[in-house]
Amino acid sequence: MGYGGAIRRLIWMIPALFLVSVLAFFLSRAIPGDPVVAFLEEPLPQANTASGFFKHRDAYARTARNLGLDKPLFYFSVHSHVVSDTLYRILPPDERLAARRLAFESGNWAKVQQLRKDVYQMIGVLDETGSQESGIPYRRWQNELAFALEEGSPERVLQRIDGIMDNPNPGWEGTSLYRDFLQLQKQARSLSGKDRKFLWWPAFSWYGRENQFHHWFSGVLRGDFGVSSRDSKPVFSKISEALKWTLWLNGLALFLAFAAAIPIGIWLARFRHRRTAQWTRAGLFALYAVPSFWLATIMVVFFTTPEYGQWLDWFPTQGLGNYRYAETAFGRFSIIAWHL
């Protein structure tokens, strides 16, 4: 009966651990900031030219691919019928969010996708045409089109394209570039059609194992917790380093606790009728009732700072000291012990 109960409890633990893992994963993805930017090997190129714009996107996409962030979040997704099941492929996230909003505003993902494709193509055309020819500010237009990719409303996209069309140079109206912008303007206007009949029509997409959670969870099961976004070091090595000192602290605390508790307990049991033993027992119960975190804070303030007198500043407040620079093993031990 006991063996069978243990097996049943173990079986029930598996889905519970899986649900906890799912919750931890989605909480990690909800942290503010862009993890891809933190892991870039070099700063992103400036995007004020078409070549810089495409290098910017390529560097971002390459880093996201190395981190496994170019995949869908989970094994499946339930989304609006007007949003593509490949929305996760749009990088960076600002552009993905803008494309999603445009799809909701227009109700037509095909139009949004075509507009994005034509905007990218136009940025490349502007780079090939020239930098500042016949009074036409090509570079500024490239920036306007790049910003248009991050706009989440058809009105804002159209406003940026209209700003480009308001070029004071009359000579450019007969050019092929002008006609291309007219076509782009027409596409932006068509997004305001409000074709929303399928807006709340749910769609289910299955991605299989090629998703971010599976990649993350498989790594956790192998002991691979990824790399730190602060210094790009493996998380496991950072945990190992911290765990070593955590064990030292807890081991020393347990040793001191038993070294004091066992003799005091023996003495109280042997001389339990003495008045001193009764007072000691009352004092220990009083100490047991004090919240340990509060008592620890008070002790840190009193015995590791000169707040209440230099003669009370006995121990260092934090850290482990420069024990690595000690010349002897005893020197290293004394520094670490003093800090512990």
Side-chain angles (χ1 to χ4, degrees), residues 40-224:
L40 285 169
E41 297 178 357
E42 55 187 24
L44 286 173
Q46 294 296 319
N48 55 5
T49 64
S51 58
F53 173 82
F54 289 117
K55 286 180 180 178
H56 185 282
R57 265 40 179 193
D58 289 343
Y60 189 98
R62 184 168 57 252
T63 305
R65 187 166 53 251
N66 292 338
L67 294 172
L69 298 177
D70 61 334
K71 298 178 174 63
L73 272 178
F74 202 58
Y75 296 102
F76 63 89
S77 69
V78 179
H79 52 87
S80 171
H81 193 76
V82 300
V83 178
S84 172
D85 60 344
T86 59
L87 185 67
Y88 63 88
R89 294 178 182 173
I90 298 179
L91 298 170
D94 291 341
E95 286 191 23
R96 179 167 60 244
L97 181 61
R100 185 176 183 273
R101 288 175 176 171
L102 283 177
F104 271 97
E105 288 289 326
S106 64
N108 193 319
W109 174 254
K111 288 182 180 180
V112 175
Q113 196 173 28
Q114 187 61 46
L115 176 66
R116 287 180 48 80
K117 179 181 177 181
D118 291 345
V119 168
Y120 267 96
Q121 185 175 354
M122 185 63 74
I123 292 174
V125 169
L126 288 173
D127 193 53
E128 294 175 0
T129 306
S131 57
Q132 187 79 19
E133 184 179 314
S134 303
I136 299 176
Y138 292 101
R139 185 165 294 179
R140 182 175 66 81
W141 290 358
Q142 291 171 4
N143 289 336
E144 284 295 314
L145 290 175
F147 287 132
L149 290 169
E150 298 179 359
E151 297 290 358
S153 71
E155 292 77 13
R156 292 288 298 169
V157 175
L158 184 60
Q159 185 179 7
R160 290 196 177 273
I161 296 175
D162 286 343
I164 295 174
M165 298 293 291
D166 292 338
N167 182 48
N169 188 348
W172 86 293
E173 294 182 359
T175 63
S176 60
L177 187 62
Y178 179 79
R179 291 191 294 272
D180 290 339
F181 271 112
L182 279 178
Q183 180 63 27
L184 208 59
Q185 190 181 49
K186 182 180 178 181
Q187 287 179 260
R189 283 201 180 98
S190 70
L191 291 179
S192 301
K194 307 294 184 183
D195 183 15
R196 296 190 171 190
K197 58 183 177 181
F198 294 113
L199 185 60
W200 302 112
W201 191 287
F204 179 86
S205 298
W206 175 258
Y207 300 110
R209 294 185 300 174
E210 288 300 316
N211 62 79
Q212 294 183 36
F213 174 77
H214 188 85
H215 174 78
W216 173 84
F217 190 59
S218 301
V220 170
L221 293 179
R222 296 193 307 268
D224 179 9

Side-chain angles (χ1 to χ4, degrees), residues 19 28 76 83 142 161 163 190 258 310-311 319 327 331 336 340:
L19 290 176
S28 69
F76 63 89
V83 178
Q142 291 171 4
I161 296 175
S190 70
F258 281 109
Q310 289 288 344
W311 66 278
E327 296 181 356
I336 291 173
L340 287 175

Side-chain angles (χ1 to χ4, degrees), residues 13-48:
M13 282 178 61
I14 293 174
L17 289 174
F18 180 77
L19 290 176
V20 170
S21 301
V22 171
L23 179 61
F25 169 76
F26 279 101
L27 285 175
S28 69
R29 292 301 186 264
I31 295 174
D34 190 346
V36 176
V37 175
F39 284 104
L40 285 169
E41 297 178 357
E42 55 187 24
L44 286 173
Q46 294 296 319
N48 55 5

